[in-house]
Amino acid sequence: FPSHDNMVVEAVRRLCVKPLDVHLMILEPERYIESFREAGADHITVHLEACVHLHRVVQQIKATGAKAGVAINPHTPVEALEDVLEYLDLVCLMSVNPGFGGQQFIYRTLPRTRHLRDMIEAQNLSVRIEINGGVGAHNAQALLEAGADVLVAGNSAFKADDPLADIRHLKGVGGEVAWF
């Protein structure tokens, strides 16, 4: 399956040494997991809403040697992850409705993050929480305080007057910052 997305992953893999976190916001992601892993993905995240058999897809990701993540949309309760949480390396809470950049952050993400962190700690798991969408200097600290580990920033940096200063600021807040 030589898709354009795989070609992008292959090209990025050749140019970087950092782990590649690939977020598959597609239907039937199980059809493409092996090809993305072969292209160089280290972490593969699929959407709960796109997987009929989520546990099976998570196991498929793990069988490739990649770390497994599950993303959930803003309207999906974090409790929907309860039966797979122990098998995950990462949960990506979408803090905007998926589809395009530049959307406003949905502030309900803050209590959802805290609730998910409580679920992870109650089971004594080491699952990382990633926040994707509308992340920037205005909410980074609050997200980390709510329990997030990884913040995905796009427009906040790329549309900033001084992108490098924005990136430095976000890195200075703490946690891990991923750029796309």
Side-chain angles (χ1 to χ4, degrees):
F1 170 69
S3 78
H4 295 296
D5 292 330
N6 281 11
M7 293 185 326
V8 169
V9 171
E10 287 174 352
V12 171
R13 171 76 309 154
R14 285 192 300 271
L15 297 172
C16 75
V17 295
K18 298 245 180 197
L20 292 182
D21 181 358
V22 176
H23 181 162
L24 301 181
M25 192 172 57
I26 57 176
L27 295 174
E28 300 180 338
E30 62 274 12
R31 295 178 52 201
Y32 309 104
I33 288 167
E34 288 182 28
S35 63
F36 274 96
R37 177 65 174 144
E38 290 169 5
D42 297 296
H43 308 153
I44 299 175
T45 298
V46 297
H47 273 258
L48 175 145
E49 299 86 357
C51 295
V52 175
H53 303 289
L54 183 60
H55 181 267
R56 183 183 305 157
V57 174
V58 168
Q59 295 306 312
Q60 182 184 1
I61 294 168
K62 293 238 179 219
T64 69
K67 293 191 182 276
V70 171
I72 61 172
N73 290 334
H75 70 278
T76 302
V78 294
E79 291 84 2
L81 296 165
E82 196 167 352
D83 291 333
V84 296
L85 198 55
E86 67 186 284
Y87 304 105
L88 301 178
D89 299 294
L90 175 122
V91 171
C92 175
L93 291 180
M94 295 300 299
S95 46
V96 298
N97 290 298
F100 60 94
Q103 296 180 59
Q104 292 295 314
F105 178 80
I106 297 172
Y107 276 89
R108 181 82 182 112
T109 303
L110 290 167
R112 293 176 80 231
T113 304
R114 171 56 25 217
H115 184 59
L116 179 58
R117 174 58 58 206
D118 290 345
M119 287 172 58
I120 291 167
E121 289 177 359
Q123 294 184 46
N124 197 30
L125 302 173
S126 60
V127 179
R128 300 181 80 189
I129 299 175
E130 177 180 87
I131 309 298
N132 186 339
V135 172
H138 64 287
N139 57 16
Q141 186 65 45
L143 286 164
L144 293 170
E145 288 172 4
D149 301 296
V150 180
L151 305 178
V152 178
N155 281 333
S156 75
F158 296 126
K159 291 193 174 184
D161 291 335
D162 186 350
L164 191 54
D166 191 72
I167 291 168
R168 283 188 187 120
H169 173 79
L170 286 172
K171 284 185 171 185
V173 172
E176 181 180 324
V177 179
W179 307 100
F180 69 95

